[in-house]
Amino acid sequence: MTNVKLEESVWKSAYNCWLQYSDIKDHSRVQEYKKVCSNLVILDQSAIIDSAKEELEKGLFSMLGETPTISYEPQKKASIVLATYDQRTIKEYGVDYEDCNILNDDGYMIQSFDYQGDKAVLLLGKTDKGILYAAFHLLRLIQMSKDINNLTIFENPKNQIRMINHWDNMLGDIERGYSGNSIFYDQNEFTHDVDRIKDYARYLSSVGINSLSINNVNVHQVESKLITKELLPHVAEIADIFRSYGINTYLSVNYASPIEIGDLNTADPLDSEVQAWWSEKVAEIYEYIPDFGGFIVKADSEHRPGPFTYGRNHADGANLLGRALEPFGGIVFWRCFVYDCLQDWRDRKTDRAKAAYDHFKQLDGEFLDNVILQIKNGPMDFQVREPVSPLFGSLKQTNQVLEFQVAQEYTGQQKDLCFLVPQWKEVLDFDTYSEGKGSTVKSIVNGSKYPFQYSGITAVSNIGNDLNWTGNTLAQANFYGYGRLIWDTELSAEEISDEWVRLTFGHDEHVVEEVNQMLLNSWQIYENYTSPLGVGWMINPGHHYGPNIEGYEYSKWGTYHFSDCLGTGVNRTVKNGTGYSGQYYPENAEIYESLETCPDELLLFFHHVPYTHRLKSGETVIQHIYNTHFLGVEQVENMKARWEQLKDKIDTYRYENVLDRFTMQLENAIEWRDRINTYFYRHSGIPDEKKRTIY
């Protein structure tokens, strides 16, 4: 019996991510919480509030050992009170309505107060979604062992749209998935494991995610049928689950659907029959899902169909769908990841980095109000280091969202540890200078800089049906960190990391300190042993894991980096390169254009330089490459050793899971070090100053 309980406990610790709700060992703290948490008073009703109630019951019982009593009328005793802003009954609790005017639709207030000698906590939402977010916030405070008797918290999410994009295929596989198979589909059918989907909705809502697309942007033939009567009832069942957690459901669609699943021979956006087909199809979708969010579209990129076939532009294509969705309040996310993957890379003036700007800058202001351009954080493709996309700040009349990738496609694939929150912080804090100093990316995508109707942040999901959801237990930190950061972009990477570690592993200070350091240093460590100085792309084609310096699938003639016997890097200057640096506002363009001012970490992204060029650190480029690749391996060895010291403090499953990943990471780091250093030694003929072995 003991072994059965142990196995169940280990299973739950892996599965429950940061919602562990572990029993609290501090007896005095338990008694303090029980005085407040023994009663729930619920002054409004909805499916979302029911979810908040259920979560509070689950969490409080697990942590305190008692299930709270439930009341639906004001009670003159200690309690947790759930109410919406428009409930007049909350006057009993002394709420100042003027204070509540600062709340937006997803915002909430958590207020402690004395009620006739008893302590109580009010969870007040502008809407029922605010109540749910407040409930998760309170449970997080209790998990963190914080005082809840003196709370005055006002929270509004910084971003209106807080979204996750799934790249799941109905066969059950996931494009760029590193955590098992889809939780939605299996063998071209919908899954029957609705309990797992509900738990996923809980995790999303706990970090404030409010939008979700459930299929791959590369829409194959079978996924095209998701918008047909055959499959819409199943989509509606999933949408019902997410709706009860405040999450709107979206679908990725095939631009050529009128041909693929209709009876038309064209998908021309200006064709009247095509327009009528989409209008009828959208109306049908809303019969099944009245609050359907809308569509995600990848068009005219990487062999996906789009309006270019008919001599039309992206605004023509996006507006076609926007008009069909507009009567129902639906919106279109039109991805800006557009480039010609068949172009001749031998031409050093050809530059994939320029493509998105070249395609979309000229169309600013031509998109409908319910069309949103979805822009990747960098101009290329989620590399470990690249500059911020120049589209941010250049589009002043077009709704837009920033796209991150939580899935670690080019950053270790959840085998290698790479905590991405520090990278995302750099992107959000980047100053575009579009309206002078202070025109940061975060101020653009949160809608405060320009009067967009829709704005926010989206990202590619990193979850699958593995027991621990993310393959590597430590990769849960990226999932959690993404949600927390886009809710509040002012949170530091250190705050987010510390929250996740304590919620996931508890409060042993040795564990907290060690895991925090691993997470916070991991992005730099990964960069050290992979592609140097912003050059990128030195990776195996197809699966994108491990080094292949000249093997990338779109550079068969040898280069995304133009290395030769004299030097390395891509000349993207206006003076004599591709001209990419000129896509930025002058303040940034001048920095990137000049060798003297270009940041070292992006040097090879913007400049082709001799191997003997000295960085601002004083190192030559070639010596920097040698040093960082040797250092990166040493750092991975150190992380693995530090994790091994935690063996007796972490349950067996999670300990072995992470240890196994560190073993794979070390093998990967060694291969990167040896192949990169050998490649550049043979190209440059310059030996390592420290006389280390390079084959």
Side-chain angles (χ1 to χ4, degrees):
M1 189 62 149
T2 302
N3 289 335
V4 172
K5 288 184 178 179
L6 179 61
E7 290 173 4
E8 181 181 5
S9 173
V10 169
W11 182 89
K12 286 182 176 179
S13 68
Y15 181 86
N16 288 339
C17 298
W18 54 87
L19 299 182
Q20 295 289 318
Y21 298 145
S22 301
D23 60 308
I24 297 171
K25 306 298 184 184
D26 185 336
H27 179 73
S28 61
R29 186 64 96 181
V30 169
Q31 296 309 308
E32 175 188 327
Y33 289 150
K34 282 183 176 181
K35 290 178 183 178
V36 178
C37 302
S38 296
N39 303 287
L40 297 182
V41 176
I42 302 172
L43 301 182
D44 199 1
Q45 294 186 26
S46 74
I48 292 175
I49 294 174
D50 286 344
S51 296
K53 166 183 166 292
E54 183 178 327
E55 196 68 29
L56 286 165
E57 289 178 307
K58 179 185 180 73
L60 295 174
F61 175 76
S62 181
M63 290 186 285
L64 306 179
E66 290 184 6
T67 301
T69 62
I70 307 296
S71 303
Y72 293 95
E73 297 292 337
Q75 302 292 311
K76 297 180 179 180
K77 59 183 178 182
S79 54
I80 299 173
V81 181
L82 283 64
T84 49
Y85 175 66
D86 60 353
Q87 293 299 302
R88 298 296 107 180
T89 50
I90 63 175
K91 287 183 177 179
E92 295 232 7
Y93 301 97
V95 174
D96 186 335
Y97 281 89
E98 292 301 316
D99 286 345
C100 295
N101 285 336
I102 67 172
L103 298 180
N104 63 28
D105 286 346
D106 288 351
Y108 59 85
M109 178 182 77
I110 303 178
Q111 179 68 59
S112 303
F113 57 91
D114 292 311
Y115 196 78
Q116 298 181 348
D118 289 323
K119 293 288 186 180
V121 176
L122 174 65
L123 309 182
L124 177 69
K126 185 72 172 286
T127 65
D128 54 0
K129 285 198 290 185
I131 292 175
L132 179 60
Y133 297 141
F136 278 116
H137 191 149
L138 180 64
L139 289 167
R140 182 166 67 244
L141 292 174
I142 295 173
Q143 287 189 91
M144 298 281 287
S145 197
K146 301 292 187 181
D147 175 25
I148 65 170
N149 290 323
N150 300 284
L151 300 175
T152 300
I153 298 171
F154 289 87
E155 283 270 342
N156 283 318
K158 295 293 195 299
N159 289 288
Q160 173 193 20
I161 295 170
R162 307 177 302 280
M163 192 176 199
I164 285 284
N165 290 174
H166 277 263
W167 286 2
D168 297 28
N169 301 315
M170 286 197 66
L171 187 61
D173 62 314
I174 302 172
E175 183 176 336
R176 310 310 178 193
Y178 313 110
S179 312
N181 289 329
S182 173
I183 66 169
F184 301 118
Y185 315 108
D186 183 32
Q187 299 301 313
N188 290 332
E189 295 183 356
F190 281 79
T191 181
H192 299 293
D193 191 356
V194 294
D195 289 338
R196 180 148 194 166
I197 294 175
K198 180 179 178 179
D199 283 331
Y200 182 47
R202 292 174 53 233
Y203 297 138
L204 292 172
S205 187
S206 73
V207 293
I209 301 298
N210 65 0
S211 303
L212 183 81
S213 63
I214 63 171
N215 67 299
N216 192 357
V217 293
N218 293 313
V219 184
H220 306 110
Q221 185 174 25
V222 66
E223 289 84 23
S224 295
K225 296 179 180 179
L226 285 169
I227 57 174
T228 66
K229 289 183 178 181
E230 176 187 354
L231 296 181
L232 277 170
H234 301 290
V235 179
E237 290 175 4
I238 290 177
D240 288 344
I241 296 171
F242 286 116
R243 182 183 303 110
S244 65
Y245 284 88
I247 301 166
N248 281 359
T249 300
Y250 293 74
L251 290 171
S252 295
V253 292
N254 184 342
Y255 186 82
S257 290
I259 301 171
E260 193 76 39
I261 59 174
D263 56 0
L264 302 183
N265 60 9
T266 181
D268 184 349
L270 301 190
D271 185 280
S272 59
E273 289 186 329
V274 172
Q275 295 168 357
W277 187 91
W278 276 111
S279 294
E280 292 169 8
K281 178 53 62 179
V282 166
E284 184 176 89
I285 294 171
Y286 280 91
E287 289 177 8
Y288 289 91
I289 312 169
D291 61 346
F292 179 65
F295 298 141
I296 319 296
V297 185
K298 177 179 177 179
D300 285 313
S301 185
E302 298 184 326
H303 309 293
R304 300 309 302 160
F308 286 4
T309 300
Y310 309 98
R312 317 303 184 191
N313 63 34
H314 288 286
D316 295 327
N319 291 343
L320 162 71
L321 301 176
R323 289 190 189 93
L325 288 162
E326 193 276 332
F328 304 93
I331 55 183
V332 180
F333 290 86
W334 191 269
R335 298 182 84 237
C336 294
F337 184 58
V338 176
Y339 69 100
D340 179 5
C341 62
L342 300 179
Q343 58 195 311
D344 187 348
W345 300 100
R346 291 170 293 188
D347 181 355
R348 293 199 179 197
K349 296 294 184 181
T350 298
D351 192 356
R352 172 174 167 178
K354 296 172 63 178
Y357 185 98
D358 287 346
H359 279 296
F360 289 96
K361 167 60 177 172
Q362 62 188 321
L363 299 175
D364 191 22
E366 295 188 21
F367 294 89
L368 294 178
D369 287 343
N370 66 332
V371 172
I372 305 171
L373 295 187
Q374 184 165 316
I375 308 168
K376 288 189 177 184
N377 60 269
M380 299 295 272
D381 194 7
F382 303 128
Q383 298 298 293
V384 67
R385 178 78 67 173
E386 57 182 292
V388 171
S389 171
L391 274 177
F392 295 112
S394 70
L395 300 174
K396 301 183 179 183
Q397 303 175 67
T398 305
N399 300 320
Q400 58 200 263
V401 295
L402 164 64
E403 181 182 3
F404 287 132
Q405 189 182 51
V406 186
Q408 296 171 229
E409 178 181 355
Y410 294 100
T411 53
Q413 300 189 355
Q414 288 152 231
K415 301 179 184 75
D416 299 24
L417 177 62
C418 190
F419 183 53
L420 292 168
V421 171
Q423 181 195 65
W424 299 334
K425 287 284 293 182
E426 284 193 9
V427 172
L428 291 165
D429 291 340
F430 179 78
D431 198 336
T432 69
Y433 291 93
S434 62
E435 299 291 335
K437 188 174 177 57
S439 304
T440 58
V441 170
K442 63 188 174 187
S443 73
I444 293 169
V445 300
N446 71 20
S448 63
K449 183 60 63 176
Y450 302 109
F452 302 142
Q453 183 170 347
Y454 297 105
S455 58
I457 301 177
T458 189
V460 182
S461 169
N462 72 332
I463 73 102
N465 69 355
D466 279 357
L467 173 60
N468 64 0
W469 299 87
T470 57
N472 185 341
T473 296
L474 297 185
Q476 292 174 11
N478 281 330
F479 182 11
Y480 178 86
Y482 168 71
R484 292 290 289 130
L485 180 62
I486 68 171
W487 177 278
D488 184 358
T489 51
E490 300 309 309
L491 288 173
S492 68
E494 290 78 8
E495 289 174 300
I496 292 170
S497 174
D498 189 69
E499 277 186 5
W500 179 81
V501 174
R502 292 180 184 276
L503 295 175
T504 304
F505 293 113
H507 302 288
D508 183 294
E509 291 303 325
H510 184 209
V511 174
V512 171
E513 179 180 357
E514 292 294 334
V515 179
N516 267 319
Q517 287 304 308
M518 292 175 197
L519 291 173
L520 293 169
N521 294 328
S522 60
W523 175 38
Q524 181 62 66
I525 292 171
Y526 184 85
E527 184 177 18
N528 281 344
Y529 65 78
T530 55
S531 301
L533 302 171
V535 71
W537 301 109
M538 296 176 170
I539 204 157
N540 274 310
H543 61 79
H544 297 167
Y545 186 77
N548 192 326
I549 302 167
E550 292 185 343
Y552 193 69
E553 56 257 56
Y554 299 146
S555 58
K556 66 182 180 180
W557 293 287
T559 75
Y560 263 56
H561 50 87
F562 297 115
S563 298
D564 54 30
C565 65
L566 300 176
T568 184
V570 183
N571 184 351
R572 290 190 164 99
T573 65
V574 172
K575 179 181 179 181
N576 55 11
T578 72
Y580 168 78
S581 64
Q583 292 185 341
Y584 292 90
Y585 285 90
E587 292 86 345
N588 288 314
E590 291 170 7
I591 290 173
Y592 294 144
E593 181 79 7
S594 168
L595 262 178
E596 286 68 38
T597 56
C598 184
D600 281 349
E601 63 269 18
L602 290 172
L603 179 70
L604 300 186
F605 190 95
F606 284 98
H607 297 275
H608 186 88
V609 299
Y611 294 113
T612 54
H613 174 83
R614 290 203 176 271
L615 304 172
K616 296 174 180 62
S617 65
E619 290 180 316
T620 62
V621 166
I622 190 65
Q623 194 59 42
H624 173 88
I625 291 171
Y626 296 153
N627 288 345
T628 53
H629 284 79
F630 278 108
L631 175 62
V633 171
E634 294 170 6
Q635 289 171 317
V636 176
E637 289 173 332
N638 179 259
M639 284 198 297
K640 183 173 181 286
R642 290 165 68 183
W643 180 258
E644 289 172 334
Q645 294 176 9
L646 305 178
K647 181 174 183 179
D648 296 331
K649 297 187 175 185
I650 294 173
D651 60 86
T652 303
Y653 174 86
R654 292 190 292 182
Y655 173 78
E656 294 292 345
N657 168 260
V658 173
L659 181 60
D660 182 56
R661 301 294 168 137
F662 274 137
T663 300
M664 287 189 280
Q665 182 172 1
L666 182 55
E667 293 172 355
N668 190 39
I670 290 170
E671 184 181 8
W672 272 98
R673 177 199 65 193
D674 292 346
R675 293 191 65 181
I676 295 289
N677 283 348
T678 298
Y679 175 89
F680 282 107
Y681 172 60
R682 291 177 178 177
H683 269 63
S684 69
I686 300 173
D688 173 28
E689 293 174 357
K690 298 183 180 181
K691 303 186 186 306
R692 292 163 293 197
T693 300
I694 298 177
Y695 298 98

